[in-house]
C-alpha cells in the first residue's frame, strides 16, 4: 500500500519566490497534518484538516503561509513570499480518524526546503 | 499544558548493548495517547508504537520494548542488543483525546550505535 506521498522531495528557491508543497494522504484517511521540522524548534504542527476542512491552523507562522485541501486525496502548503527562515523540512501526515480517540499519524518522507 | 520531555539529547552505544530512551510527559487529561517515532538518517518519520493511557501493560516487539508508568508519567523505550541500523533520532509524542489528534513531540534523542 502506498504511504503518504509528498512532492517535491527537495526544493531550493530564492527569497521572495512562491513555494508550493504537495501531499497525497493515505487512501481512506480522513485527517491530514502539516508539520515543520527545524533544529531550533523541532517538530511543530502547522495546520490540521479533518474531512478536507481546516480544524486547527494556530501553528501557521504568518500570513505568508496558506494551506488547502480541495479534496480527500490532495493538499498543498504554500509560502508566498518565501524567506530564508522558512528553510526547514516540511512533513505531511495522515490518520484514519475513526472517531475513537487519537489515531496514529503516518508521515510522508518530507520536503526539504531551502530558501536562499 | 501538555509537554513531552526527552532529557537525553544524544546517546552513543556499541553494538549489542542495551539502551533505554527516556520520555516524560505532562498532561491534565485522564485520557491521552503516547507514541514513539523513529527518524533514521534518511529523514522520514517511522511510527513505532501507540499506547493509550488506560493500558499500562508493557509491550515487546522483537528487540524493542516499552515501559509505560503512569505513576511517574514516563513512557520509556528500550532497545535490546542494539544494532547499527538502530542509529536514528527517536521522538516521543503525546496526544490528548480532545478530538483534534494534535501531536506534541519531544525534542528527540539521537542514538548512535557503533560497530
Amino acid at each position: 500500500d502506498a504511504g503518504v506521498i509528498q512532492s517535491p522531495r527537495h526544493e531550493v528557491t530564492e527569497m521572495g519566490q512562491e513555494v508550493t508543497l504537495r501531499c497525497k494522504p493515505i487512501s481512506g484517511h480522513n485527517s491530514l497534518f502539516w508539520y515543520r521540522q527545524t533544529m531550533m524548534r523541532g517538530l511543530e504542527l502547522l495546520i490540521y484538516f479533518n474531512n478536507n476542512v481546516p480544524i486547527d491552523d494556530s501553528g501557521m507562522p504568518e500570513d505568508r503561509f496558506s494551506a488547502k485541501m480541495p479534496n480527500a486525496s490532495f493538499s498543498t502548503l504554500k509560502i508566498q513570499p518565501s524567506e530564508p527562515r522558512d528553510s526547514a523540512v516540511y512533513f505531511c501526515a495522515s490518520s484514519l480518524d475513526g472517531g475513537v480517540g487519537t489515531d496514529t499519524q503516518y508521515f510522508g518522507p518530507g520536503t526539504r526546503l531551502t530558501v536562499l | 499544558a501538555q509537554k513531552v520531555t526527552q532529557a537525553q539529547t544524544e546517546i552513543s552505544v556499541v553494538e549489542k548493548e542495551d539502551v533505554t530512551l527516556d520520555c516524560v510527559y505532562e498532561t491534565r487529561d485522564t485520557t491521552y495517547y503516547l507514541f514513539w517515532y523513529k527518524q533514521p538518517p534518511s529523514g522520514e518519520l517511522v511510527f513505532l508504537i501507540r499506547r493509550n493511557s488506560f493500558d499500562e501493560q508493557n509491550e515487546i516487539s522483537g528487540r524493542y520494548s516499552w515501559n509505560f508508568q503512569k505513576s511517574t508519567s514516563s513512557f520509556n523505550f528500550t532497545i535490546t542488543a542494539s544494532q547499527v541500523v538502530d542509529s536514528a533520532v527517536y521522538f516521543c509524542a503525546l496526544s490528548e483525546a480532545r478530538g483534534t489528534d494534535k501531536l506534541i513531540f519531544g525534542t528527540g534523542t539521537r542514538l548512535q550505535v557503533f560497530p
Side-chain angles (χ1 to χ4, degrees), chain A residues 49-69:
Chain A
F49 292 87
N50 182 254
N51 291 321
N52 312 338
V53 175
I55 302 299
D56 183 353
D57 66 354
S58 59
M60 294 288 263
E62 48 197 276
D63 292 345
R64 298 184 297 106
F65 285 69
S66 62
K68 295 182 179 179
M69 192 164 185

Side-chain angles (χ1 to χ4, degrees), chain A residues 24-57:
Chain A
K24 176 178 169 55
I26 294 172
S27 177
H29 281 193
N30 299 319
S31 293
L32 183 140
F33 307 80
W34 282 101
Y35 289 86
R36 179 171 67 176
Q37 184 178 34
T38 61
M39 289 294 294
M40 292 297 294
R41 301 174 67 91
L43 273 159
E44 51 182 345
L45 178 67
L46 299 178
I47 188 168
Y48 154 53
F49 292 87
N50 182 254
N51 291 321
N52 312 338
V53 175
I55 302 299
D56 183 353
D57 66 354

Side-chain angles (χ1 to χ4, degrees), chain B residues 79-100:
Chain B
I79 302 175
T80 303
S82 59
Q83 300 176 1
V84 173
V85 293
D86 296 327
S87 298
V89 180
Y90 292 86
F91 292 94
C92 181
L94 164 71
S95 178
E96 294 171 343
R98 295 179 183 175
T100 66

Side-chain angles (χ1 to χ4, degrees), chain B residues 13 29 33 38 62 85 98 101 109:
Chain B
V13 298
D29 279 11
Y33 297 82
K38 174 182 180 180
V85 293
R98 295 179 183 175
D101 288 2
T109 297

